[in-house]
Amino acid sequence: MTEEEKNVQKRKLMPLSNSESLLFFFLPFRFSGRAKWENNDYNTSEIQRFKKYGFDLKLKQAKQLTVYGRLFYLSLTIIIIYFVK
């Protein structure tokens, strides 16, 4: 196995960094409403990049963090509605 192949395998097994994780958690929704701005959506472009280059671990973590972020905002909304009454 060449050095380049080792580096490719190592990159495929690397987890998301802390800053990437936070972005997927706190910005789980697509904020751009127009199709022409779709390339500006960070999560969509990063998930497409993970698929293109075969970063399976990062793809799995990104999808999980997006779900957790949506659940976080849903629970936060429910808590706020409960205490406003």
Side-chain angles (χ1 to χ4, degrees):
M1 189 178 266
T2 66
E3 200 63 34
E4 184 178 336
E5 291 171 344
K6 288 180 185 177
N7 287 336
V8 168
Q9 288 299 323
K10 188 167 74 171
R11 279 184 282 159
K12 286 185 178 184
L13 299 175
M14 284 180 55
L16 288 173
S17 67
N18 290 337
S19 60
E20 289 174 324
S21 298
L22 288 174
L23 282 172
F24 280 109
F25 182 78
F26 286 114
L27 298 175
F29 303 107
R30 182 173 169 207
F31 289 107
S32 59
R34 294 189 167 186
K36 69 178 185 178
W37 293 333
E38 186 172 333
N39 293 336
N40 295 335
D41 187 32
Y42 174 78
N43 290 348
T44 305
S45 62
E46 284 297 299
I47 286 176
Q48 289 174 353
R49 188 177 69 87
F50 295 158
K51 287 179 184 177
K52 179 179 178 182
Y53 294 109
F55 297 138
D56 297 328
L57 181 62
K58 286 187 177 189
L59 180 63
K60 180 181 174 187
Q61 288 178 332
K63 288 181 178 180
Q64 286 177 342
L65 285 167
T66 302
V67 170
Y68 295 153
R70 290 177 182 187
L71 289 174
F72 169 74
Y73 283 116
L74 178 66
S75 62
L76 188 65
T77 304
I78 291 171
I79 290 171
I80 290 173
I81 289 172
Y82 177 75
F83 283 112
V84 169
K85 287 184 178 183

